[in-house]
Amino acid sequence: MSMEQNMEKQLRVIHDAARPNIDDIVNEVFHDFIELHGDRLYGDDRAMLGGIARLNGTPVTVIGQRKGHTTAENIEANFGMAHPEGYRKALRLARQAEKFHRPVICFVDTAGAFCGVGAEERGQGEAIARNLYEFMGLRTPVVSIVTGEGGSGGALAIAVANEVYMMQNAIYSVISPRGCASILWKDASRELEAAEALQITARDLYRFGMIEGIISEGRSRTAYFRNIKSALADSLKRLEGMSGDALRQQRYDKFRKIGVFNDTNL
C-alpha cells in the first residue's frame, strides 16, 4: 500500500469514527427516550438499539443498528452487525408499536448481519426472513433512514418501510463492494470497480426509485440532526392519516415495483 493510500485509509477511519451514530441521533432528534432490551427468547443484542421516544411530542418506536465512536464501543456493539436476537428484538418492538398505534422509525447502519457460527446456529437467516415478512404486514407507519452502510439482508431486515430515505453520503447494496469483487473476480482489490457497477450511492438509489428521498447532511452536526428530524416529521405527517390496511398495501406496492429489467432481447 502506497503512502497516499495509507493516508486515505486513515482519514476514512477518522471520518467514520466521527460520523453520528444511532445514539447521537436518539439524543439529538428525539426526546424522553426509554431503551428496551431483549428479544424474550435468547438475550439482548447491543448491535441493535430499540426503545420508545417522542418526536415533536408524538410517541414513536425507534430501532437502529448501533456503531461506536471508539474501538471499545464498536467491539461492544459488534461493529453494528446484529445477531438473530437483535432482529427478533426489533420485530418484538415493531409489534408492540403496532399494538399501541405508534409509528416505527428505523435507522440502518450495518455492513451486514453477523455471520458467525453462533448466529447461524440460532437462526440468523430465519430471523431476517421473519422480519421481512412481518414488517411488510405492520398496520402502523414505518419509516427507515439509511445513515451509513446499508449492507445486504442485515440492512433490509429493518428497512421494509412505507418510506425509505438515505443520508447523502450513505450507501445501500445487496453486498459490499469488496465482497462482490471477491466473488465475481476473485480479487478483493477491485472493490472500487465493483462499487461503480453496483451503483450503491443515495443518488443511484433515488434514480432507481428505491428510496423516497435523500437527506442532506449539511455542514455541521446541528444541520445533520435538524435535517433528519424535518424529514421524519414530513414523512409521518403524510402517513398518519392512512388506515392500517392502506399502510400495508402501500408498503406492498412500493416493494413490488422495485426492479426494472429489459426483455427485448429475450
Side-chain angles (χ1 to χ4, degrees):
M1 181 181 294
S2 69
M3 183 180 297
E4 291 80 6
Q5 289 175 320
N6 186 54
M7 183 176 295
E8 181 182 352
K9 182 177 180 181
Q10 291 177 0
L11 288 173
R12 190 186 308 129
V13 170
I14 292 171
H15 174 74
D16 290 344
R19 190 174 183 81
N21 61 15
I22 181 64
D23 293 291
D24 300 322
I25 293 171
V26 165
N27 289 333
E28 298 295 335
V29 174
F30 302 93
H31 294 92
D32 303 326
F33 178 72
I34 300 173
E35 185 174 0
L36 302 176
H37 298 274
D39 66 346
R40 302 297 187 269
L41 292 170
Y42 180 81
D44 188 42
D45 187 356
R46 290 284 296 169
M48 189 75 74
L49 175 74
I52 304 169
R54 292 184 185 274
L55 177 69
N56 296 328
T58 300
V60 298
T61 290
V62 181
I63 299 169
Q65 285 143 341
R66 174 186 269 129
K67 288 184 178 179
H69 290 305
T70 66
T71 300
E73 289 176 350
N74 272 317
I75 291 174
E76 182 182 8
N78 202 37
F79 293 85
M81 296 183 291
H83 297 76
E85 50 271 22
Y87 293 108
R88 290 174 179 137
K89 174 169 67 172
L91 179 55
R92 178 177 75 83
L93 297 182
R95 285 173 173 161
Q96 181 193 77
E98 180 183 44
K99 177 180 179 180
F100 292 102
H101 309 291
R102 289 192 301 267
V104 178
I105 299 174
C106 299
F107 294 95
V108 177
D109 189 11
T110 183
F114 187 61
C115 57
V117 173
E120 296 298 331
E121 289 175 342
R122 296 194 299 277
Q124 184 72 287
E126 188 278 337
I128 292 174
R130 177 64 58 180
N131 274 30
L132 303 183
Y133 177 82
E134 297 287 352
F135 268 73
M136 187 64 73
L138 289 175
R139 300 171 63 87
T140 196
V142 184
V143 180
S144 290
I145 299 177
V146 183
T147 59
E149 292 182 284
S152 193
L156 188 58
I158 59 169
V160 176
N162 296 97
E163 294 190 354
V164 180
Y165 296 87
M166 290 178 67
M167 303 308 294
Q168 70 181 85
N169 293 319
I171 59 173
Y172 196 15
S173 175
V174 68
I175 190 173
S176 70
R178 179 171 287 266
C180 177
S182 298
I183 293 172
L184 290 183
W185 302 304
K186 311 300 181 186
D187 183 359
S189 67
R190 296 177 65 179
E191 60 181 329
L192 290 179
E193 184 180 348
E196 292 179 1
L198 286 168
Q199 300 187 67
I200 59 179
T201 68
R203 184 176 297 178
D204 293 327
L205 275 293
Y206 183 70
R207 189 176 74 251
F208 296 148
M210 294 183 66
I211 61 174
E212 275 59 48
I214 301 171
I215 302 175
S216 170
E217 301 191 11
R219 295 179 176 274
S220 66
R221 288 173 65 88
T222 300
Y224 183 96
F225 299 125
R226 183 180 64 242
N227 293 344
I228 289 177
K229 190 172 185 177
S230 176
L232 287 173
D234 291 344
S235 178
L236 293 182
K237 187 175 182 179
R238 283 190 295 273
L239 299 172
E240 65 181 358
M242 298 175 66
S243 67
D245 287 339
L247 288 166
R248 294 175 64 178
Q249 189 63 47
Q250 185 270 351
R251 208 177 296 130
Y252 175 82
D253 292 340
K254 167 184 168 59
F255 281 87
R256 284 291 293 174
K257 73 179 182 181
I258 290 176
V260 178
F261 63 92
N262 188 334
D263 63 355
T264 56
N265 295 321
L266 296 180

